Amino acid sequence: MKLIYVFDAYCGWSHGFSRTMSEVAARHPELPIEVVSGGLFIGERRQPIGNFGYVPAANAKISDLTGAEFGDGYQRLISDGSFVMDSEAAARGVAALRNAAPDRAVELAGALQRAFYIDGHSLSAPETYRTIAGAAGLDADAVAAAFQGPAAQAAAEADFHRAAELGVDAYPTLLATEGQRVIPLAVGHATADQIDQRLATVTATTTS
């Protein structure tokens, strides 16, 4: 069995889920986890954040439900409504970080979301990835360069295709796969205990 975590770095609900996802990874080191970027803000949805009037209320709900923090840096970044969330750029960053440390993909995805939602760093800026990589003990220059390279672009496009192939159109989504079976464990929000309960059911069904 393995887990597939489909998220979008510019998705507030994914930010709220990142603590749960970290706990699931810590509880289940025996389960490989594939981290896939979704394309929430691409194409016509790649617009200034001020055009999405639901964001403040959604963030408040996410914070109440999950305890996720939306920091002062983030509030300053979005305050005039002009900041553009570009999920393609964020997916390139995920790919660059994931390639640098494949076994730390969940950890680095969480760091990327904190960089935006707490510190207010654009996920379109190479310097953001230099900072995250340096803090994680990775080669900061190499990660920043990879973010801007063709391999990360191809990986981002492959991630969007992978998410669509899995039928995922809501973020975050956590799936378990066993052979040809794909079983949803969480969509939007769940606690680590709830996911453990669902995993136990999947395991029991698989072994029976």
Side-chain angles (χ1 to χ4, degrees):
M1 181 187 296
K2 81 169 186 177
L3 304 182
I4 305 175
Y5 175 42
V6 188
F7 86 118
D8 192 290
Y10 276 126
C11 168
W13 284 102
S14 294
H15 173 52
F17 190 72
S18 62
R19 190 178 303 169
T20 291
M21 194 62 228
S22 295
E23 190 169 348
V24 169
R27 290 184 183 187
H28 296 283
E30 78 284 1
L31 293 178
I33 302 175
E34 177 185 357
V35 176
V36 179
S37 290
L40 185 56
F41 297 104
I42 59 175
E44 294 181 354
R45 284 181 57 82
R46 188 159 33 196
Q47 300 178 25
I49 196 169
N51 292 355
F52 300 96
Y54 62 82
V55 167
N59 288 350
K61 183 175 181 180
I62 293 163
S63 184
D64 287 345
L65 188 62
T66 70
E69 179 184 351
F70 294 84
D72 292 341
Y74 165 76
Q75 301 298 346
R76 285 192 296 271
L77 179 68
I78 69 166
S79 61
D80 69 356
S82 65
F83 180 76
V84 176
M85 296 182 291
D86 181 351
S87 291
E88 185 271 337
R92 285 191 284 118
V94 170
L97 290 163
R98 185 177 61 201
N99 186 63
D103 59 338
R104 299 170 64 188
V106 171
E107 169 199 341
L108 293 167
L112 188 57
Q113 296 214 275
R114 289 191 298 275
F116 175 59
Y117 278 109
I118 295 177
D119 299 327
H121 296 310
S122 169
L123 304 186
S124 295
E127 190 59 33
T128 298
Y129 301 97
R130 192 184 308 277
T131 300
I132 293 169
L138 304 175
D139 186 330
D141 291 339
V143 170
F147 164 69
Q148 300 174 87
Q153 176 70 46
E157 293 172 1
D159 273 15
F160 297 159
H161 179 75
R162 176 70 163 146
E165 182 180 62
L166 290 165
V168 174
D169 58 7
Y171 314 108
T173 292
L174 180 62
L175 306 169
T177 64
E178 182 74 31
Q180 298 300 310
R181 297 177 66 208
V182 179
I183 306 102
L185 298 177
V187 178
H189 172 67
T191 66
D193 287 343
Q194 288 171 330
I195 290 169
D196 272 355
Q197 291 169 2
R198 294 164 192 170
L199 271 173
T201 300
V202 171
T203 302
T205 301
T206 302
T207 57
S208 62

